[in-house]
Amino acid sequence: MRIIVVGGGVVGVASAYWLRLAGHEVALIEQDVEAGRGVSAGNGGQLSYAYVEPLAGPDLWTKFPAILLGLDSAVRMRPDLRLDSIRWGLSFLRHCFGRRQADSLQSLLILASESHRALAELTNDVPLPFDYAAVGKLILYRDIKGLEEAGRLAEIKRQYGFRVEALDRARCLALEPALHHYRNPFAGGIYAPEDAAGDCGQFTRGLYAHLRDAMGVETHGSTRVTHLSTRGGRVVGVELDTGEMLADAVVLANGIDASRLAATVGLKLQIEPVKGYSITAPARPEAPVVSLTDRAEKVVFAHLGHRLRAAAFADLDGWSPTVDPRRARQLLAMVRHLFPAAADWDRAEPVWAGQRPMTPSGVPLIGPSKVPGLYLNAGHGGLGWTLACGAGKRLAGMIP
Ligand SMILES: Cc1cc2nc3c(=O)[nH]c(=O)nc-3n(C[C@H](O)[C@H](O)[C@H](O)COP(=O)(O)OP(=O)(O)OC[C@H]3O[C@@H](n4cnc5c(N)ncnc54)[C@H](O)[C@@H]3O)c2cc1C
């Protein structure tokens, strides 16, 4: 089959890789001059297989009044009165509890486990430099109550084959001595030794080049898909500024723009942008080796080669991709305060912002859509780097 993949982010390149391995003729279309410049460019870098809790969860619900009043520093929400946004918000709130929340977590754990194996297969066949390090991940909890709750969830994760361990404060310090310099209090943590870190943007660009140079994938950079083309109710290709490109099937892997393109054939996708920020600076010898997540501050740290990256914030503040200078200052002040010795923050790169393509449940849309000829691989939210390889491989298995 000839298949067009729209979007050269990590999800698009992973989709193209497994579709090509399955023997399809693949064309990959990216609007930017090169791949991996969307939200895949500067994300937190964590391959967080054992920690895939969706944003929609009971703890977010309890903070909801503070978020609405603008009193929560990690999550910001600007009320958006578009009908689609209201529907998304209501669905998001329904996914915060009970069966729905448990089902989302289960789906994400299964996909994360597939993804862990798929990335290992890919890197075994294609040696890509992306500062990969299988260093494990430690999630810090401020109080014993939070740690105990996380310990109960760890039991569920073990049932899915993940290795996770509850550590008290002393064992966290023994595992990661850099935490002696960490200024936020923590009672202990949950350690996932099989989690890893790597530079998602570098991986995406490297795989894009490999698809083009070694796998015979037709790559089209600086090319924007404006519409989907249909004949008799079936998607038969895409419309570009330069004309029509035909195929037997089209995959939407274009992040937050997937809902706009789907709408051109009357399909509604519930994907909203949730903006986050990251900062990258030269790592100092006192930098943590293990990937860290501070649950209370909702900030993550990943050691990527000679650099330390910190990422934070979830802002539902519309569709503009620009960096809000107040948020940029807040992030810099936060990392300087929390981990002053870990990196040379004075030499940090400019603060980066990206928009997580988020479904209400946090579970991505993978597989055939209601419109014949149109497939989806979109809506990976805050976990697209972790889930991309599993999602790409799963999608390829769904296309005959
Ligand atoms: C602050 C922050 C921290 C994060 N940390 C992590 C983390 O630690 N671990 C993790 O797993 N995930 C993390 N994420 C989430 C992760 O970055 C995303 O889920 C993932 O990158 C989504 O990839 P994507 O390919 O779907 O989107 P993108 O990378 O945005 O790719 C979509 C591509 O499609 C192109 N495109 C769009 N429209 C068109 C069109 N019409 N025609 C042609 N091309 C088009 C875009 O230019 C873009 O290149 C984080 C996100 C943020 C914001």
Side-chain angles (χ1 to χ4, degrees):
M1 245 205 230
R2 175 172 162 77
I3 301 176
I4 291 174
V5 176
V6 185
V10 70
V11 175
V13 296
S15 306
Y17 176 78
W18 268 284
L19 288 168
R20 186 75 192 107
L21 275 193
H24 298 290
E25 188 190 316
V26 180
L28 177 56
I29 304 182
E30 168 54 46
Q31 65 187 2
D32 225 315
V33 284
E34 62 172 357
R37 292 186 24 157
V39 65
S40 301
N43 65 31
Q46 294 192 332
L47 290 158
S48 178
Y49 303 112
Y51 183 72
V52 289
E53 276 79 336
L55 185 61
D59 61 334
L60 193 116
W61 175 252
T62 53
K63 288 185 182 156
F64 201 58
I67 293 170
L68 278 182
L69 292 169
L71 302 175
D72 187 278
S73 61
V75 183
R76 288 217 174 139
M77 199 175 278
R78 199 176 60 207
D80 182 342
L81 297 177
R82 281 176 310 116
L83 202 54
D84 286 346
S85 174
I86 294 170
R87 283 205 186 101
W88 186 96
L90 292 173
S91 179
F92 178 87
L93 292 177
R94 280 198 297 274
H95 280 91
C96 284
F97 319 95
R99 195 65 255 157
R100 281 196 182 90
Q101 205 254 340
D103 288 350
S104 306
L105 180 61
Q106 181 183 5
S107 304
L108 289 166
L109 286 170
I110 293 169
L111 183 57
S113 171
E114 290 172 22
S115 207
H116 194 182
R117 287 192 297 276
L119 178 68
E121 279 169 33
L122 186 151
T123 49
N124 201 31
D125 290 343
V126 187
L128 294 172
F130 60 101
D131 287 330
Y132 176 79
V135 285
K137 167 164 165 167
L138 180 63
I139 302 141
L140 301 173
Y141 289 84
R142 183 168 287 178
D143 52 39
I144 295 291
K145 188 168 166 267
L147 190 58
E148 283 172 354
E149 273 165 26
R152 279 191 287 278
L153 263 185
E155 203 41 63
I156 298 176
K157 292 174 180 183
R158 283 189 203 104
Q159 289 163 19
Y160 287 89
F162 291 99
R163 281 177 58 202
V164 273
E165 221 182 313
L167 306 183
D168 62 16
R169 185 182 160 83
R171 287 183 68 204
C172 289
L173 290 167
L175 173 78
E176 180 46 82
L179 286 171
H180 283 287
H181 311 284
Y182 194 63
R183 293 231 184 110
N184 234 21
F186 60 92
I190 299 286
Y191 177 50
E194 290 163 334
D195 281 6
D199 187 324
C200 177
Q202 225 179 318
F203 171 90
T204 306
R205 289 187 293 278
L207 187 55
Y208 184 85
H210 178 80
L211 291 167
R212 181 192 59 213
D213 301 339
M215 291 183 75
V217 169
E218 214 183 277
T219 53
H220 300 264
S222 305
T223 305
R224 183 160 193 271
V225 175
T226 56
H227 286 85
L228 296 171
S229 301
T230 52
R231 308 264 195 284
R234 183 181 177 85
V235 170
V236 293
V238 295
E239 287 284 345
L240 310 171
D241 291 331
T242 48
E244 193 178 46
M245 186 188 282
L246 295 175
D248 302 302
V250 173
V251 175
L252 290 185
N254 55 325
I256 57 158
D257 195 47
S259 43
R260 185 194 65 78
L261 274 189
T264 66
V265 291
L267 184 67
K268 273 198 182 303
L269 303 184
Q270 282 201 310
I271 297 176
E272 289 281 316
V274 177
K275 199 189 281 183
Y277 291 76
S278 77
I279 185 163
T280 308
R284 288 217 175 113
E286 296 86 351
V289 173
V290 173
S291 279
L292 295 174
T293 293
D294 183 333
R295 273 283 294 170
E297 291 291 341
K298 296 227 174 348
V299 60
V300 306
F301 295 91
H303 204 138
L304 304 171
H306 300 296
R307 301 160 298 152
L308 186 70
R309 180 168 295 163
F313 306 150
D315 295 351
L316 286 119
D317 61 356
W319 289 77
S320 161
T322 51
V323 172
D324 174 345
R326 282 165 306 178
R327 278 307 227 180
R329 283 195 296 274
Q330 190 184 340
L331 180 59
L332 181 59
M334 179 163 81
V335 294
R336 273 187 202 285
H337 167 73
L338 289 176
F339 238 153
D344 187 351
W345 299 115
D346 289 337
R347 289 172 52 218
E349 295 167 18
V351 170
W352 170 91
Q355 294 171 294
R356 303 173 183 92
M358 193 74 82
T359 61
S361 65
V363 179
L365 310 170
I366 306 169
S369 74
K370 284 187 208 149
V371 183
L374 182 64
Y375 291 81
L376 307 173
N377 199 357
H380 297 69
L383 288 165
W385 175 213
T386 304
L387 302 177
C389 287
K393 188 170 180 187
R394 191 188 278 188
L395 174 85
M398 291 168 140
I399 302 186

